[in-house]
């Protein structure tokens, strides 16, 4: 049987999940390509951003082929669906991958994140709430099973907020306050609009490079490992403490302080702010970080279709 491979062309990162037919992970890779650079303002994918992403996808395809036959799905999210020149990018990706690109709506993105994040829960009682902080959008979805979830996508993400509000290095107090107010307005209205009831979730799962980086910062991890991050709990007061330290550091010192993947330090403030505001608005004191996400949802979807 063929392996399953999924590529997620996100606003900040381009990611790969390759599994065997039993869903055992062969490769799980992430590269910051900043495909959505400037998209919030221009609604156009930049040529350099397209080239960065295509080069990474090309490398992923070569790696997939090294492992034999495969079934591939390529998805694109916020930056691509918001861009006027999306067809140019889609054509390039399809040429490299030999696969049609699925431009996900926000609602479909949210449901796939829910499927992926909850796919390996063992005995935890729902409802679960998934918060997936991307570069261009944040997905919030709650429920026990994907058939009865409520939620969707909000147009705030770590790249979008950074580019729009956090322009100084380090950001000024005014910039930080403007960013906080903008994020809180979207999230407070979004949560009341997206979630059908006020029943608190039994488990909040945070999916994103932001959440993973926060665990690494708290635990002083020198090198990323899935084992060190996956299923770790983050308390809201811990997140706020890290944010208070990071917000006063210039970019160079943020990179030194937190050993993150290349490109993460540039957007960690905005991502952390979004997570804080989500938890504050939900009135919950902690979340659990999950490294299972939309990629897992894409793979599981392929297995059902094959």
């Amino acid at each position: 049987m063929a392996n399953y491979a999924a590529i997620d062309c996100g606003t900040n990162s381009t990611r790969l999940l390759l599994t065997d037919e039993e869903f055992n992970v062969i490769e799980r890779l992430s590269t910051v390509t900043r495909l959505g650079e400037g998209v919030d303002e221009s609604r156009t994918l930049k040529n350099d951003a397209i080239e960065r992403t295509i080069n990474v996808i090309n490398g992923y395809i070569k790696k997939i082929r090294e492992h034999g036959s495969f079934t591939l799905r390529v998805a694109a999210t916020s930056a691509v669906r918001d861009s006027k020149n999306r067809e140019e990018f889609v054509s390039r990706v399809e040429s490299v991958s030999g696969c049609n690109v699925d431009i996900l709506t926000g609602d479909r993105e949210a449901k796939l994140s829910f499927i992926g994040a909850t796919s390996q829960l063992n005995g935890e009682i729902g409802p679960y709430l998934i918060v997936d902080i991307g570069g261009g959008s944040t997905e919030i979805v709650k429920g026990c099973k994907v058939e009865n979830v409520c939620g969707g996508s909000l147009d705030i993400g770590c790249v979008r907020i950074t580019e729009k509000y956090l322009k100084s290095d380090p950001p000024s107090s005014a910039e930080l306050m403007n960013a906080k107010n903008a994020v809180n307005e979207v999230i407070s209205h979004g949560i009341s609009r997206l979630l059908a009831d006020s029943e608190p979730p039994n488990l909040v799962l945070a999916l994103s490079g932001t959440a993973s980086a926060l665990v690494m910062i708290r635990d002083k991890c020198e090198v990323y490992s899935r084992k060190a991050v996956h299923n770790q709990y983050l308390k809201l007061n811990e997140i706020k403490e890290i944010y208070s330290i990071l917000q006063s550091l210039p970019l160079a010192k943020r990179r030194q302080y937190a050993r993150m993947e290349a490109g993460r330090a540039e957007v960690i403030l905005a991502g952390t702010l979004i997570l804080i505001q989500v938890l504050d608005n939900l009135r919950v004191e902690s979340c659990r970080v999950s490294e299972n996400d939309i990629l897992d949802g894409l793979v599981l979807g392929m297995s059902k279709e094959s």
Side-chain angles (χ1 to χ4, degrees):
M1 294 178 67
N3 296 324
Y4 295 114
I7 295 174
D8 169 31
C9 304
T11 300
N12 195 51
S13 300
T14 302
R15 304 181 306 128
L16 165 70
L17 175 61
L18 175 63
T19 77
D20 63 20
E21 64 273 14
E22 300 296 328
F23 308 115
N24 298 306
V25 176
I26 299 171
E27 295 276 3
R28 191 186 289 265
L29 301 172
S30 176
T31 307
V32 173
T33 53
R34 199 61 54 78
L35 177 62
E37 179 185 4
V39 167
D40 184 63
E41 181 177 3
S42 69
R43 299 297 174 183
T44 303
L45 298 169
K46 293 184 177 181
N47 291 333
D48 288 350
I50 292 174
E51 291 302 324
R52 289 193 299 266
T53 305
I54 293 297
N55 287 339
V56 168
I57 292 173
N58 191 46
Y60 286 171
I61 296 299
K62 290 178 181 177
K63 187 171 288 291
I64 292 168
R65 287 173 177 157
E66 290 172 1
H67 293 279
S69 59
F70 60 91
T71 302
L72 173 64
R73 187 173 182 183
V74 181
T77 55
S78 176
V80 177
R81 66 175 174 254
D82 287 351
S83 63
K84 296 180 292 187
N85 61 335
R86 67 181 72 88
E87 294 305 323
E88 175 188 348
F89 174 74
V90 166
S91 177
R92 293 284 304 280
V93 174
E94 291 179 347
S95 177
V96 167
S97 67
C99 174
N100 291 334
V101 175
D102 189 358
I103 302 177
L104 302 175
T105 65
D107 285 348
R108 287 182 63 214
E109 185 178 355
K111 288 184 178 180
L112 284 166
S113 292
F114 183 92
I115 291 169
T118 60
S119 62
Q120 294 182 15
L121 294 180
N122 295 313
E124 292 90 342
I125 298 173
Y128 321 109
L129 185 136
I130 311 302
V131 51
D132 188 353
I133 303 167
S137 65
T138 293
E139 281 63 54
I140 299 175
V141 59
K142 188 178 81 170
C144 294
K145 296 181 180 180
V146 70
E147 293 81 8
N148 62 5
V149 296
C150 56
S153 184
L154 303 175
D155 279 339
I156 51 169
C158 58
V159 173
R160 196 186 294 264
I161 294 300
T162 298
E163 290 183 347
K164 194 167 185 177
Y165 296 102
L166 307 179
K167 298 182 180 182
S168 302
D169 185 25
S172 67
S173 298
E175 288 174 337
L176 290 165
M177 183 57 67
N178 288 338
K180 178 181 179 179
N181 291 339
V183 168
N184 188 58
E185 181 178 4
V186 173
I187 288 173
S188 61
H189 287 121
I191 285 177
S192 62
R193 176 175 58 86
L194 294 176
L195 304 185
D197 59 63
S198 59
E199 179 187 5
N202 285 329
L203 178 64
V204 176
L205 291 171
L207 290 53
S208 67
T210 292
S212 300
L214 289 170
V215 172
M216 293 177 63
I217 293 169
R218 183 197 63 187
D219 295 345
K220 299 179 171 60
C221 298
E222 293 292 322
V223 179
Y224 168 83
S225 77
R226 177 181 171 85
K227 185 177 180 181
V229 171
H230 185 54
N231 284 336
Q232 294 295 309
Y233 280 88
L234 280 169
K235 296 179 180 178
L236 179 56
N237 63 350
E238 293 174 331
I239 301 170
K240 289 181 176 179
E241 182 177 346
I242 293 170
Y243 181 73
S244 70
I245 295 171
L246 292 177
Q247 68 180 357
S248 63
L249 298 178
L251 178 58
K253 290 192 175 181
R254 286 204 300 275
R255 288 173 177 154
Q256 293 172 1
Y257 178 79
R259 297 181 180 274
M260 305 176 233
E261 61 180 324
R264 179 61 56 188
E266 286 84 343
V267 296
I268 186 69
L269 278 174
T272 304
L273 179 59
I274 291 169
L275 183 55
I276 289 171
Q277 295 304 308
V278 169
L279 297 180
D280 268 341
N281 276 274
L282 291 171
R283 295 188 175 90
V284 296
E285 294 301 320
S286 67
C287 61
R288 194 165 89 185
V289 176
S290 174
E291 296 292 88
N292 292 339
D293 53 29
I294 189 172
L295 283 170
D296 302 81
L298 289 166
V299 164
L300 290 167
M302 280 190 292
S303 71
K304 294 176 182 178
E305 294 164 4
S306 60

